[in-house]
Amino acid sequence: MDRTESLPAQTLPPGVGPTDPGSVLLPGHDVPLGRYTTVRRLLPQRQRRMVGAWCFVDHFGPDDVADRPGMEVPPHPHTGLQTVTWLLDGEILHRDSLGNVQPIRPGQLNVMTSGRGIAHSERSPLVHPPLMHGVQLWVALPDPARAGDPDFAHHADLPRLRDGDLDVTLLVGDLGGERSPAVVHTPLAGAQIEVRGPAPATLPLRPDFEYGLLAMSGAAECDGTALAPGALLYLGLGRSALTLRAEPGTRLLLLGGTPFEEPLVMWWNFVGRSHEEVVAAREDWMAGRRFGVVADDAAPPLPAPALPTTRLKARDRGGDVRG
């Protein structure tokens, strides 16, 4: 007998196409970052390593840092990626080996493109706000951008759109007819969604994108799944719309993009294509080559951990978890 005859008909929720694999809730896990900060790591995970070209998602706070130094991450290297930093509360001072010294505050965006290699540090200034809350994201760079020159951009003004009871700030890419000024190298979207009213609200999406929804504050429900702060809901492909129900004041981060098909090897702060490429990046960092010196930061550079005894392997839609 033909097996397809015995399968029940599939009923899809509104806005979901036939290629959608269903939602997956990713609770994440806590990881210490520097001496004073603990982050909730949402990507990569065993169940889901990427959302489009988004290959790394850390959510931190809200933390009371009134009597603490706040974020203290000394100089460290990156290859093959862009870092995207977004704050809800607090202030962080970015320094890099291109000579940039740039504070970032809520409502502003920092995008650092590593290309073939860059180093940076991230610290709270000595006098800083009492709360710290935000996200640090990585975007995998495709060929040939990953071998290009490093770059850094600060965006103080970002597009905003109002859709019913949703206030949307567009961080990167395109959404709702708006385009972010941030330069990206693959079809991508990243947006903060702030809910203003209690009624269900709907956002238009691109069916060729896969999406993930991160709860940063408040309480929300999507696809019948409750989202608590610090959880990431993978939404898959094929959606033309997203319907949310949330309490007023809830803030969410929508991440999306076309599936990233190039193989990745992720280890520590490097995104490469092979074991040999990552080994070379580590050797260059430890020898003081390639990455330069971080401006105006006298702290010793962060040493790279020892490589594992087995070869690093590319993973399907992601890679080995950062060490």
Side-chain angles (χ1 to χ4, degrees):
M1 182 180 68
D2 186 350
R3 287 178 56 87
T4 59
E5 292 180 359
S6 63
L7 295 177
Q10 184 182 18
T11 301
L12 299 173
V16 178
T19 59
D20 183 74
S23 302
V24 179
L25 184 64
L26 304 172
H29 60 282
D30 290 343
V31 176
L33 184 68
R35 293 180 58 189
Y36 303 101
T37 304
T38 297
V39 301
R40 175 61 57 90
R41 184 148 301 160
L42 286 311
L43 285 181
Q45 293 194 39
R46 188 178 301 275
Q47 307 99 304
R48 171 55 46 182
R49 295 186 176 275
M50 300 183 75
V51 177
W54 301 100
C55 63
F56 185 89
V57 176
D58 273 356
H59 173 244
F60 52 89
D63 293 326
D64 183 350
V65 295
D67 299 316
R68 293 190 291 151
M71 184 169 287
E72 287 288 316
V73 183
H76 58 282
H78 287 296
T79 61
L81 58 87
Q82 290 179 295
T83 63
V84 178
T85 305
W86 177 253
L87 294 179
L88 283 73
D89 296 288
E91 182 177 346
I92 295 174
L93 187 60
H94 163 97
R95 299 178 175 93
D96 65 39
S97 53
L98 298 178
N100 296 294
V101 179
Q102 176 64 58
I104 180 173
R105 301 177 180 91
Q108 303 173 351
L109 186 74
N110 278 359
V111 178
M112 185 183 74
T113 303
S114 72
R116 60 182 172 270
I118 195 171
H120 74 142
S121 66
E122 297 159 295
R123 301 181 186 277
S124 299
L126 289 177
V127 179
H128 53 264
L131 288 178
M132 187 171 65
H133 187 193
V135 290
Q136 171 95 117
L137 314 163
W138 292 2
V139 179
L141 287 173
D143 293 327
R146 70 188 190 90
D149 293 335
D151 193 19
F152 173 80
H154 173 77
H155 301 284
D157 295 305
L158 295 166
R160 299 188 65 177
L161 54 144
R162 184 77 180 259
D163 193 330
D165 282 336
L166 300 182
D167 276 344
V168 180
T169 304
L170 184 58
L171 280 58
V172 302
D174 300 90
L175 187 69
E178 296 286 346
R179 175 183 286 272
S180 167
V183 174
V184 293
H185 299 272
T186 56
L188 211 63
Q192 176 181 279
I193 302 169
E194 185 164 359
V195 180
R196 294 296 188 184
T202 301
L203 267 181
L205 301 181
R206 286 180 50 170
D208 61 326
F209 274 28
E210 58 183 349
Y211 289 94
L213 189 65
L214 169 64
M216 296 186 293
S217 65
E221 182 182 298
C222 179
D223 267 6
T225 301
L227 278 177
L232 177 68
L233 183 65
Y234 175 69
L235 297 166
L237 277 161
R239 293 175 182 266
S240 59
L242 172 68
T243 300
L244 297 167
R245 185 186 300 272
E247 62 183 24
T250 294
R251 288 181 289 186
L252 307 155
L253 186 67
L254 179 70
L255 302 174
T258 54
F260 191 88
E261 302 297 348
E262 296 180 31
L264 292 187
V265 175
M266 286 178 59
W267 180 82
W268 196 44
N269 297 302
F270 306 129
V271 175
R273 296 295 187 272
S274 68
H275 173 88
E276 289 76 16
E277 189 176 317
V278 171
V279 169
R282 182 189 183 279
E283 290 176 351
D284 284 350
W285 173 247
M286 296 302 288
R289 299 187 296 261
R290 188 194 313 194
F291 297 96
V293 177
V294 174
D296 196 31
D297 194 322
L302 195 65
L307 283 160
T309 56
T310 57
R311 284 182 61 84
L312 301 170
K313 297 180 180 180
R315 303 289 188 181
D316 180 32
R317 305 296 317 286
D320 291 300
V321 175
R322 177 190 182 197

